[in-house]
Each structure stands twice: as C-alpha cells, then as structure tokens.
Amino acid sequence: MNAAQPNLVMLKKLLIVAMVMFAFGYAMIPFYKKICEVAGLNNLLQPDTLVEETQQVDTSRLLTVELDANTRGLPWQFKSLQSSVRMHPGELVEVMYEIKNNSNREITGQAIPSYAPQLVSQYLKKLECFCFSKQVLKPYEVRQMPVQFLIESGFPADIKTVTISYTFFELSSDFASTDVSGETGEI
Amino acid sequence: MAAIHHPGHEHEHHGPPSGIMRWLTTTNHKDIGTLYLWFSFIMFLTGGVMALTIRSELFQPGLQIVEPEFFNQLTTLHGLIMVFGGIMPAFVGFANWQIPMMIGAPDMAFARMNNWSFWLLPPAALLLITSFLVPGGAAAAGWTLYPPLSTQMGMGMDMTIFAVHILGASSIMGSINIVTTILNMRAPGMTMMKMPLFVWTWLITAYLLLAVMPVLAGAVTMLLTDRQFGTNFFNAAGGGDPVMFQHIFWFFGHPEVYIMILPAFGIVSQVIPTFARKPLFGYSSMVYATASIAILSFIVWAHHMFTVGMPVTAQLFFMYATMLIAVPTAVKVFNWTATMWRGSMTFEAPMLFAIGFIFLFTIGGFSGIVLAVVPVDIVLQDTYYVVAHFHYVLVSGSLFAIFAGTYYWLPKWTGNMYDETLAKTHFWLSMIFFNVTFFVQHFLGLAGMPRRVPDYALQFADFNMISSIGAFGFGFSQLLFLYVILKCIRGGAKATDQVWDSADTLEWTLPSPPPYHSFETPPQVSFDEYHVKNVQNVHSK
Ligand code: HEM
Ligand SMILES: [Cu+2]
C-alpha cells in the first residue's frame, strides 16, 4: 500500500492544523484582552485620568445619581450610605459604600459596576473605587469604602437620572490569588 | 487508518454486502454520499417542522400555540439543525459522490475514516433532538449560543455542546479526507487549474472547515467548563467577558457562512455551463475569487457585533472589509451571467434552480451590504431584516444549489431520468413560496420587528401572516421534491452516460449509474481548454 503513504503524511499535517486552530481559539482570550488594554477599552476596573481643562462644572443643571448595591452568592451585606446624590455635571463627588462579612470565614470579593442608561459609561470618570481591586474581608469584618467620580459636563441634558450599580461576586480560591483588575479571566 | 480501497484484486464480485450492514460498514464513497444526502434530507424535514411551528405561532400576534420558552428552543434548534444537520451534510454528500468521480480517483483517501465521519452525525442529531425532552428543555440561547444565556441553561445546553463537539469532529475528519483526496489522488493530466470548479470550491471549503471548526470546538468547550468546572471565560462574575464569546464565535461563524455557500458556488458553476452550452466564463478568476472570499472571510467577523460597543475605528475597519468581500462575490455573479450570455440555453430543472440561485442569492448579497453599513446595522441588528438576509443567502442560495445539484446528478446516480415536469413544478413552487415567505421579512425588519420573539405588535400582523402562508407553501412543496427523487430511484426513462449534452466533466464518461467502484485504474485525461477531450476510461465493470 505505498499509495497510502503520501496520504498519511497529509493526514498528519492536517491534523496538526486542526490542533493548532483549537489552541488558537484559546489564544484569542489573552490576545483580545491585550488589545482592549492597549486600546483602553472595557476599562471598568481601572481609575480614569482627568484632562483638567475639559472639566468645567455646569451649574445650570442637576443630575440625580442613584446608588445601587447588590451581592451575588456571597454572605456579605453591601449597601451605599446614601441612596442617591444630586450633582452638577462636571462636579467631582464622593460617596461611601459599606460591606460587612456575615460569615465566619475569610472571603474575597470583587465588585463589578454597571450603569444605566448605558450611555453614562462614556461620561463617567471614576478616580477612586473599591472595584479597582479585590476586597478581602475577615470573618464579620465591616469596611467603608469611598467612590470618587464625576460625570462630564458634555452629558446629554435630556437625561436627568442615572443609576450606578455595583454587584459583589465571590472569587473562588484559585482566583483570589490573581489580581482581577489586571489579568481577568485567564485560568 | 484505512487506505485506498482495493477490492476486486482479491475477489471477483465486488458489489456491496446486502442489508443494513452494507450501510453501517460501508467505506464506499458513493454509499457514504447517499447516506449523507438522506441524513441531510431528514434533518431538513426535522428543522422544517420546527420552522413551521415557529411560523404557526407567528401567524397572528399574541401567544396561541407554544410557550415562549419552547419557542426559543425551537428557533435555536431550527438554526442548529439546518446549519449543521441540513446544509453542511448535504454538501459533504455531494463531495463524497462527486469529487472522486470528477477527479478520476477510485474512492476517498481514507475510506474507513469517511465511514466514521458519517456515523458520528446520527448520534449528534439524536442528542440535539432528545434534548427537548430533558428537564429545562433544549438549548434556547439562539444558534449562536451567546452567554450569559448559554452559561445558565439546563442540561439541554450541555447536550447541545456535546453535539456540537461531535459534529465538529465529523466535519474535521471529512475535510481532512477531502483535502487529501483532491491534492493526492487526481488522475494523471488533471492539474490543479484543470479541476472542475466544484472540486476547487470544496478544496477551499475544506481548508476553511479545518481552520474554524476547531475554534468553535474551543468556544463551546469554554462554555462547558464555565458551566460545569468553575472557569470564568465568559462569566462576568469571575472576571470573564461575555462579549469575548461573540468574538470567538464569529471568528468561526463568518467563515462558516462561506463554508455553506462556496460548495453552492461550485455546483452552480458546473450547472450553468452545461445548460448554456458554453465553457465557464473566467475559470481562473472564479478560482481566485473563491480563494479571496475565503481569505477575506477571516477579517470580517465583527460585522455581527457592531453594537457591542467597539470603537469607531474597529467598526469602520470591519465595515470596509465586509464590503470588500462583495467584490469577489460579484466577480462570480458576473462570470455566471457572462457564461449564459449568448449561450444556447435550455431550462431544465437544474438550470432553473441555478438561475433562481443567481437571482435570489444576489438579493441576499445586497441586503448583506446594507447590513454592513454600520449606522444602518445599528438600527437593523437583531431585526427580521437580518432574518430575511440570511434566508436569501442560505435557502435561495445554498439550498437552491443543493436542489440544482440533486437534479443535475440524480440521473447519473440512479441511471434514470427524473420527472422533468414535476421537477419544474417543484422549482416554481419553491421560487414563489420562498419569496412570499422571506421577501416580506425585509419590510418587517425595516419596520422594527425584532427576531426571535414569539409575539409582536399589531402593526406587524399582515406581513407575518403572509410570511407564514408562504412558509407552509414552501414546506409542503418539498414533499414534491421527495416524491420526484423516490420516483426517479424506482424507475423512469433510462439516462445516457452523458445525460446532458454538453456536460463535460469526468463523471459523465462513466455509465449511468456508475459502477460501485469506478476509476480503479486512473483514467488518462487530456484537455482542450476546459473540456475533457479524450478520456481513456478504464473503469471496471
Ligand atoms: C456580500 C456578502 C455578504 C455580506 C456583505 C453580509 C453581511 C452580513 C452582516 C453585516 C450581517 C450581520 C447582521 C446583523 O446581525 O446585524 C450578516 C448576518 C448573517 N449573514 Fe451575511 N453577508 C453576506 C453574505 C452571506 C452569505 C453568503 C451567507 C451564508 C450563506 C450569510 C449568512 C449570514 C447569516 C447566517 C447571518 C446571521 C447570523 C445570525 O445573527 O444569526 N451572509 N451578514
Ligand atoms: Cu458574517
């Protein structure tokens, strides 16, 4: 069956192609992450920097910012100390949140922000936030944490109320050892 | 791995074994081709029943026939079954029957593996269909399986993921077989640039499959580990990103749509010259156009996700790249038209379907270009306009080409002519009902009706009713197709070897039906332009 020989060589080559492409699918994950990082996309968990000149406070109007706090699957109590704040576009404000660990084990959590309407995310600049790093709470520990942010003055005038919401998720133990804000998702 | 099949050297009678074992154990490319084609037909009927259930629910506004949850399962499984069970296996069936006969090879390169590739399909189909019966029902995240829905659903989703793995393995084995057969087993004299276009398009398709099926397998494996083993690829809660799935999926998904259309281009490129009685216009430009479409198809995936919030530069890049693909596609359409120009055309059923293909596929290409325009797509994304677009390219594109190819080669396969009148009736019924079903969906989309919804606002009622009537007409017309095929298998006017007077590829030099083993000794092929001129046909009896 010498006629089969070149076919078997071809079979091996093509199988390698298929395996390389399988690996390529996985390689896309860090690759996209890098692109987002370089392009500054999807930057939920990193502090913003302000370009000073563009931030004039627009005192002619007021925005209501509702502050929402949730936990998902971890025995923590999480709330904001004010339920909402009134602010001018361009004005830097600070609000406080509080978390409490209601269990007797040490738990690592990570907060993920989400905004409504979605448009806010383009105008929202956060200088300080507990979501920039993971939070480790000892049994029954209570912690208060500030968020410092502004909504740029170019924000459309027809929107009067916006919601900033945070949800705390538990990080599984193998995850807790990595820094979520930088290298997310790769295991 | 089984190598080239050499029966007939050891024993005299080399017909197939009889009964069910013939089909279970067969390594014969013709048998396997038949299995693929029948499997795909059954899947078309299964997916079709789901489509008709969907259209019944959408006949009127309001919820009347199915629960919304079940409706979502139906749209998901309809898509998966038509794509992976209907269109793709049908083309692999054509590849199995035709490629060895068209290049003068005795069989596929890996005959045993060929048998495995086919027999993986029925278990995968069973997994998909039985997933309706498990708690929580079948997958309901859409055929695109986007998380977070797909990371949350019940075990129906796990079954779907497993089915996709199996289907992927089958496709990869099938493509390895096809590439090896085409590259290594052509008859002497059949150089690459003399290969029939159907063979060329399948070669390129097989490479596309090899490149992207593993990526899909990777994507669904990530879904599976996110669901069952605590990874967080797409799980925002663990720092993953659901949009990442869309990038990986569409890196597979866009080449996949070309996997479903390139073999159709190949079939049409065989049919048109035969019935126009002229050689294909611009053969080499056809080859290059197919290759450019395949290469470009890797850099346009994000046109499916213009609304995920990507930067404008990325949107512009993907928009222009997408529009660029229309150029080689148009080259093909112009070449087919030029082939017909001043030809002595006759309009038998294969030709009717091929012309219907050119006409309607081009409409689908145009709506694709409309969708490629970012500001337009932001409005039309996830509306019925997209549904209309992809049914024009997939039903009146891929499926019509499958019909054309079936009628074209059926006399060769069975030895009998099919009933021309009934076949033409099948064409006209399909043509009319297809347009009744899908043309109005453009209007629904433009008016803002979202896709994948079981209920809709009152202003969409009339067009939906028209569309549903068309769908039933189209569905029942396909029973006529089944009848014509069965009638042709059972008898009819005897077909000549040549069948069509200007058909000039190698398979037409074999008897109709061709012997169980053909071209055991490679034929000597010589060419005058693109015609096979002189064939010393040394096939066995
Ligand atoms: C000129 C060629 C084409 C162009 C410019 C084009 C463009 C597009 C665009 C921009 C979309 C995304 C629409 C949206 O979701 O908002 C789309 C969707 C789609 N296209 Fe095409 N397309 C072309 C040809 C094809 C062909 C040949 C096929 C298949 C045979 C195809 C199958 C599909 C499918 C299945 C979808 C919908 C996927 C889904 O969301 O479920 N297209 N096309
Ligand atoms: Cu696409």
Side-chain angles (χ1 to χ4, degrees):
Chain A
M1 294 254 171
N2 47 1
Q5 201 48 46
N7 289 356
L8 287 178
V9 174
M10 180 72 80
L11 173 82
K12 282 190 198 122
K13 284 187 193 157
L14 295 174
L15 270 180
I16 291 172
V17 172
M19 277 170 340
V20 168
M21 288 313 291
F22 186 76
F24 176 79
Y26 278 80
M28 278 162 99
I29 301 252
F31 183 66
Y32 276 128
K33 291 249 150 83
K34 200 78 215 162
I35 290 192
C36 289
E37 205 182 293
V38 172
L41 299 171
N42 214 3
N43 161 21
L44 285 173
L45 304 180
Q46 262 125 46
D48 295 298
T49 44
L50 291 182
V51 189
E52 212 54 62
E53 312 84 79
T54 63
Q55 300 308 323
Q56 311 129 323
V57 180
D58 177 358
T59 47
S60 67
R61 58 191 170 118
L62 272 172
L63 276 173
T64 307
V65 180
E66 295 178 334
L67 304 169
D68 179 43
N70 312 283
T71 59
R72 193 57 183 280
L74 75 175
W76 284 6
Q77 204 175 320
F78 175 40
K79 61 180 187 217
S80 70
L81 297 185
Q82 309 105 295
S83 65
S84 68
V85 286
R86 307 257 298 155
M87 61 185 283
H88 296 292
E91 178 191 351
L92 189 65
V93 291
E94 185 173 290
V95 292
M96 286 303 259
Y97 282 82
E98 186 183 282
I99 38 174
K100 174 165 189 257
N101 183 353
N102 281 335
S103 78
N104 57 5
R105 61 189 174 97
E106 185 180 293
I107 294 179
T108 311
Q110 169 69 45
I112 304 284
S114 127
Y115 315 115
Q118 247 182 1
L119 186 72
V120 185
S121 59
Q122 292 170 31
Y123 297 90
L124 184 76
K125 300 287 169 218
K126 281 189 296 188
L127 303 190
E128 195 184 328
C129 178
F130 52 88
C131 60
F132 296 154
S133 60
K134 57 183 193 257
Q135 303 291 330
V136 188
L137 284 194
K138 303 220 154 41
Y140 305 107
E141 186 183 342
V142 183
R143 178 177 305 158
Q144 291 201 348
M145 311 162 303
V147 176
Q148 227 180 50
F149 69 97
L150 61 79
I151 292 176
E152 288 176 321
S153 44
F155 190 68
D158 56 335
I159 303 174
K160 306 271 188 307
T161 308
V162 303
T163 307
I164 297 179
S165 165
Y166 287 100
T167 306
F168 258 106
F169 295 95
E170 176 164 6
L171 292 184
S172 50
S173 47
D174 48 340
F175 225 111
S177 56
T178 64
D179 178 9
V180 178
S181 62
E183 313 251 287
T184 48
E186 285 144 290
I187 331 178
Chain B
M1 213 65 45
I4 312 167
H5 207 55
H6 278 296
H9 291 298
E10 295 87 18
H11 49 95
E12 277 294 75
H13 53 88
H14 45 273
S18 53
I20 180 87
M21 286 316 280
R22 160 173 179 187
W23 300 106
L24 279 176
T25 59
T26 185
T27 54
N28 179 286
H29 72 101
K30 300 185 182 84
D31 282 353
I32 293 175
T34 307
L35 286 171
Y36 265 108
L37 289 169
W38 276 115
F39 173 81
S40 121
F41 190 80
I42 294 168
M43 287 296 109
F44 273 125
L45 291 186
T46 316
V49 168
M50 294 173 187
L52 292 187
T53 317
I54 293 170
R55 283 310 327 166
S56 312
E57 177 57 55
L58 295 175
F59 186 71
Q60 286 182 340
L63 294 175
Q64 37 267 322
I65 298 175
V66 294
E67 297 290 317
E69 293 77 17
F70 186 61
F71 184 94
N72 292 342
Q73 298 170 23
L74 285 176
T75 50
T76 305
L77 271 276
H78 164 75
L80 286 170
I81 286 184
M82 288 303 199
V83 167
F84 293 105
I87 304 273
M88 290 171 67
F91 284 131
V92 183
F94 279 106
N96 266 291
W97 257 102
Q98 290 307 126
I99 288 176
M101 292 203 296
M102 289 174 116
I103 62 174
D107 204 311
M108 298 296 275
F110 307 106
R112 176 64 53 199
M113 188 164 82
N114 205 12
N115 172 290
W116 297 337
S117 330
F118 173 77
W119 282 108
L120 283 176
L121 296 181
L126 269 179
L127 267 177
L128 284 178
I129 293 167
T130 52
S131 71
F132 275 111
L133 308 174
V134 301
W143 81 280
T144 51
L145 304 178
Y146 282 2
L149 277 178
S150 55
T151 45
Q152 288 164 359
M153 288 175 168
M155 67 180 288
M157 182 59 73
D158 299 307
M159 293 168 79
T160 303
I161 290 173
F162 191 42
V164 170
H165 277 135
I166 300 176
L167 293 163
S170 161
S171 292
I172 290 170
M173 294 199 298
S175 338
I176 291 180
N177 226 328
I178 289 170
V179 172
T180 312
T181 309
I182 298 177
L183 292 185
N184 287 1
M185 294 171 67
R186 296 189 311 279
M190 171 88 57
T191 58
M192 293 295 275
M193 289 311 272
K194 300 282 188 220
M195 294 193 312
L197 223 91
F198 178 73
V199 180
W200 255 116
T201 52
W202 243 118
L203 178 65
I204 292 169
T205 304
Y207 273 117
L208 278 182
L209 275 167
L210 272 172
V212 299
M213 280 318 270
V215 175
L216 175 68
V220 295
T221 309
M222 292 179 217
L223 273 185
L224 188 74
T225 54
D226 268 15
R227 289 167 56 80
Q228 308 291 359
F229 304 107
T231 59
N232 291 294
F233 289 106
F234 310 127
N235 185 0
D241 183 352
V243 174
M244 184 80 76
F245 177 85
Q246 300 189 22
H247 279 293
I248 304 174
F249 181 88
W250 287 114
F251 183 85
F252 148 81
H254 191 82
E256 165 71 12
V257 307
Y258 283 98
I259 287 165
M260 293 189 283
I261 202 68
L262 293 184
F265 290 169
I267 292 177
V268 170
S269 305
Q270 303 301 133
V271 170
I272 299 271
T274 301
F275 294 92
R277 292 170 180 75
K278 275 175 64 193
L280 184 68
F281 184 89
Y283 172 91
S284 45
S285 70
M286 283 300 217
V287 173
Y288 295 130
T290 312
S292 357
I293 290 175
I295 292 164
L296 286 175
S297 75
F298 285 104
I299 55 160
V300 299
W301 74 91
H303 65 215
H304 295 275
M305 25 189 312
F306 279 144
T307 56
V308 295
M310 66 176 88
V312 174
T313 32
Q315 288 178 326
L316 287 177
F317 170 80
F318 286 109
M319 166 169 136
Y320 287 124
T322 304
M323 291 184 165
L324 200 58
I325 294 204
V327 176
T329 313
V331 166
K332 291 182 151 286
V333 173
F334 288 131
N335 281 347
W336 291 319
T337 321
T339 308
M340 290 190 279
W341 178 251
R342 297 198 161 169
S344 358
M345 289 201 282
T346 50
F347 299 93
E348 287 87 347
M351 185 63 162
L352 286 178
F353 273 109
I355 295 175
F357 168 96
I358 300 179
F359 184 52
L360 297 179
F361 173 79
T362 306
I363 295 181
F366 277 133
S367 58
I369 298 179
V370 172
L371 289 170
V373 183
V374 175
V376 179
D377 185 70
I378 287 170
V379 178
L380 293 179
Q381 157 105 77
D382 273 331
T383 67
Y384 259 80
Y385 193 88
V386 178
V387 178
H389 159 67
F390 66 73
H391 284 91
Y392 266 80
V393 283
L394 282 172
V395 178
S396 59
S398 310
L399 186 60
F400 271 28
I402 289 169
F403 290 149
T406 308
Y407 288 126
Y408 185 56
W409 282 304
L410 203 55
K412 171 58 62 189
W413 297 339
T414 61
N416 306 320
M417 288 308 287
Y418 59 85
D419 185 327
E420 190 65 62
T421 319
L422 287 182
K424 282 183 177 164
T425 316
H426 172 225
F427 167 75
W428 286 110
L429 288 175
S430 300
M431 182 80 181
I432 292 166
F433 284 122
F434 169 80
N435 283 292
V436 173
T437 312
F438 292 107
F439 201 76
V440 291
Q441 296 188 356
H442 290 108
F443 304 135
L444 285 172
L446 289 169
M449 176 166 162
R451 64 191 279 206
R452 294 169 174 163
V453 288
D455 187 9
Y456 48 82
L458 282 180
Q459 71 264 33
F460 304 129
D462 293 350
F463 283 139
N464 269 296
M465 190 175 283
I466 295 173
S467 181
S468 291
I469 293 171
F472 275 87
F474 187 83
F476 286 113
S477 308
Q478 306 320 314
L479 297 179
L480 182 59
F481 179 52
L482 176 64
Y483 177 75
V484 177
I485 293 175
L486 291 178
K487 190 173 167 201
C488 177
I489 293 175
R490 303 184 55 179
K494 287 280 157 279
T496 59
D497 292 359
Q498 173 90 8
V499 184
W500 313 107
D501 32 83
S502 12
D504 64 359
T505 37
L506 269 184
E507 76 272 30
W508 308 107
T509 64
L510 292 169
S512 303
Y516 196 56
H517 299 290
S518 39
F519 295 132
E520 294 199 314
T521 328
Q524 286 299 320
V525 205
S526 71
F527 291 86
D528 153 32
E529 277 298 293
Y530 305 122
H531 294 266
V532 185
K533 247 288 145 69
N534 158 28
V535 182
Q536 294 157 24
N537 186 4
V538 248
H539 60 82
S540 55
K541 259 214 100 9

